[in-house]
Amino acid sequence: MLHKQIHAESLEVFTIGNVKEGSKWLWAHCLALYVISCSACVLLYFEYKSITKMRLAHITGSPPNPSHFTVLVRGIPWSPDHSYSDSVEKFFSTYYPASYVSHQMVYQAGTVDKLMKDAEKMYRMLKTIEPQCKMRSMPCCLCGGMTHSFKVLNNEAESVKSKTSVDGLQPTQREKECPAAFVFFRTRYAAVVAAQVLQSSNPMLWVTQLAPEPDDVYWSNLSIPYKQVWLRKLATRLGAIAFMFVFLVPVTFVQGLTQLDQLSHAFPFLKGILKQKFMNRLVTGYLPSVILILFLYTVPPTMMLFSTMEGNVSRSERKRSACIKVLYFTIWNVFFVNVLSGSVIRQLSVFSSVRDIPIQLAKAVPTQATFFTTYVLSSGWASLSCEVIQLFALLCNVFRKFILRIEDDPSNCALTFPHHTEIPRLLLFGLIGFTCSVMAPLILPFLLVYFFLAFLVYRNQILHVYVSKYESGGKFWPIVHNTTIFSLVLTQIIALGVFGIKRSPVASGFTIPLILFTLLFNEYCRQRFSPVFKRSPAQVLIEMDRQDEQWGRVDEIYNQFRSAYCQAPLFSLDLSTAGSTGHHKDKKSSQDPESLNPVGRSSHF
């Protein structure tokens, strides 16, 4: 009652740093740590169990997929007497005579293949135009001149038929064979056994793995020799680590903005400007988060480039590898480097002693509560609005449609879910929430609003916006589980350091068993659920093979092998079909699509 005005306080008052040494209120923080850790472990267990059941249901309930019967073979040894195709047929006919069906070689992508793909794109663009459209002129948006639309000519279907040999291959294609092939087996169980067994005494030869789905294959990396893969992975990991340390420069600059005294000392001419309250709040509060977010936009494309150079043979593996790289990068630069702010030399010398890690983190995390709160508002809430608007895709579409005058096929403009950008962002906010839940709990309402809005936004985007071209089978969940466990253990280590600084040995003693319990829980989940995400159970595969035999679907599955993994799209069939239906509706196509593709889809699907 003596104070006429309540003084404004910083957010550090609402952190654990404001608790006195030896205070009894530290027990409340220790109890909260136990409640949060146990609740998180229980939820993780039930979620891991549920997703494991969904993965098994996906394997058993999905229709027969050629990837279930196919093995990708790399490192085929070169022989001067035989081609790669003959070597594959001889090897698997000898060692897998009862289960081997056939194989499909991988060829080097050359100029002709590129022209075929460009021709297919041109055809898809032109087939939307009316067959007999009039010539019309329109002003160009750039130079003001007149542009003319296409005039489609009527051509006979026979003029676009594919001129291939009897076996469907050009004679020159045999010379462009790569030491990689897709090998087809009679049963799923035989394919899994062949994929997991070491085929040769030399582990670098006849390397096998389960083939990805046909739409998931990343063809350009199949021609990479298998002996170069480990060198590529090592080089890309070193490049990613180097990029992480190079990124310390902008992060250090951003953290320099939050420290007003150092900024005024380094730039004396800013003292007058920084004395203004509005500029002070703008420079020290909002500007650091905005600058950091702008720099972080360059990270996902860079990591995706590194993952492409690794030599991943599927798009899902490439995206999962990029997701892990972006996650490590984000946690290091956004959390650790910002928490341990200061000069680069100080950041590198902080971990000089392992025993000092909990103490350093315990001192630094509560002081960064304001920055993390601003980061959640600027990066979290703003990213959800950008996700709904799809601003980048919208601007690209406007530029292509109204400036370049390119009409895209809607099927080619479908978006796929960006796992490598969204999953690391969600896990980063989870890490911030766990670490600040005991140290600075005022950030929790902002995170709660973010996760509630994120649930609504991503549910809408996945159901109505993004298109799944291939199925990953829930393989991204172990990344989420392991990161959440890491966040829990990190939170407990930081709490251990805080209780030590605040001179509460009893609370510190109760925190150590909690760390051990969390690690034991993670090991149990790794033994109980993780193998299902790495290998398919033989019991399920054998039952599925028996069902195929009982229902008579074996012949139908074998017919799919011929057109499943087609490296060069056979769009000539679609051209001939379109020509016959567009100009000769009373005539039937000379080739039946069902004969080449039993599923009934177009040959370039």
Side-chain angles (χ1 to χ4, degrees), residues 74 218-225 232 307-313 318:
R74 305 177 71 184
Y218 196 72
W219 292 98
S220 59
N221 281 353
L222 290 179
S223 59
I224 298 175
R232 287 173 171 266
S307 299
T308 304
M309 296 171 60
E310 276 184 353
N312 295 307
V313 296
R318 182 185 62 155

Side-chain angles (χ1 to χ4, degrees), residues 252-482:
T252 305
F253 171 74
V254 166
Q255 278 302 314
L257 296 178
T258 61
Q259 301 175 5
L260 190 61
D261 297 336
Q262 297 182 6
L263 188 63
S264 302
H265 180 73
F267 303 98
F269 61 91
L270 296 178
K271 291 183 178 180
I273 300 177
L274 295 178
K275 289 181 179 179
Q276 302 177 8
K277 292 184 178 180
F278 173 76
M279 294 301 298
N280 188 356
R281 294 176 181 177
L282 179 64
V283 172
T284 61
Y286 189 72
L287 191 60
S289 299
V290 174
I291 295 176
L292 181 61
I293 292 170
L294 293 178
F295 277 107
L296 287 176
Y297 278 132
T298 62
V299 177
T302 305
M303 296 305 177
M304 181 62 76
L305 178 62
F306 284 149
S307 299
T308 304
M309 296 171 60
E310 276 184 353
N312 295 307
V313 296
S314 64
R315 301 180 185 275
S316 59
E317 286 289 341
R318 182 185 62 155
K319 189 171 290 188
R320 184 158 57 251
S321 176
C323 176
I324 295 174
K325 291 183 177 63
V326 175
L327 178 63
Y328 290 163
F329 183 93
T330 306
I331 291 177
W332 167 253
N333 282 282
V334 177
F335 183 79
F336 284 102
V337 177
N338 279 285
V339 166
L340 306 172
S341 58
S343 62
V344 178
I345 298 177
R346 178 190 170 188
Q347 293 168 0
L348 296 178
S349 61
V350 162
F351 299 119
S352 58
S353 178
V354 180
R355 295 177 300 175
D356 297 337
I357 294 178
I359 298 177
Q360 294 290 343
L361 293 175
K363 293 179 180 179
V365 170
T367 60
Q368 293 296 326
T370 304
F371 172 78
F372 286 138
T373 305
T374 309
Y375 185 80
V376 171
L377 295 175
S378 57
S379 177
W381 293 14
S383 65
L384 294 178
S385 60
C386 294
E387 177 66 28
V388 174
I389 299 173
Q390 293 289 331
L391 185 61
F392 181 76
L394 180 63
L395 294 177
C396 293
N397 186 35
V398 170
F399 180 77
R400 290 172 60 85
K401 186 174 182 180
F402 296 101
I403 304 299
L404 301 180
R405 299 285 180 172
I406 299 177
E407 295 289 342
D408 289 334
D409 188 359
S411 61
N412 296 332
C413 299
L415 300 176
T416 58
F417 188 78
H419 297 85
H420 63 293
T421 60
E422 303 307 316
I423 292 180
R425 181 184 290 117
L426 291 171
L427 294 179
L428 174 65
F429 289 141
L431 174 66
I432 294 175
F434 276 116
T435 53
C436 295
S437 59
V438 181
M439 309 301 143
L442 193 62
I443 196 177
L444 295 181
F446 300 98
L447 283 172
L448 180 63
V449 173
Y450 167 76
F451 281 114
F452 175 75
L453 296 176
F455 171 77
L456 299 178
V457 169
Y458 288 120
R459 179 181 176 86
N460 174 76
Q461 300 298 93
I462 292 174
L463 292 178
H464 303 108
V465 177
Y466 294 115
V467 177
S468 298
K469 295 183 179 180
Y470 49 83
E471 295 292 340
S472 61
K475 290 186 177 180
F476 282 92
W477 171 251
I479 301 176
V480 178
H481 175 85
N482 295 332

Side-chain angles (χ1 to χ4, degrees), residues 203-217:
M204 301 297 290
L205 298 178
W206 298 106
V207 182
T208 56
Q209 67 180 77
L210 283 176
E213 294 185 8
D215 294 330
D216 192 19
V217 178

Side-chain angles (χ1 to χ4, degrees), residues 505-522:
V506 179
S508 300
F510 274 91
T511 306
I512 296 176
L514 188 61
I515 298 175
L516 298 177
F517 170 77
T518 306
L519 295 177
L520 289 176
F521 168 76
N522 181 47

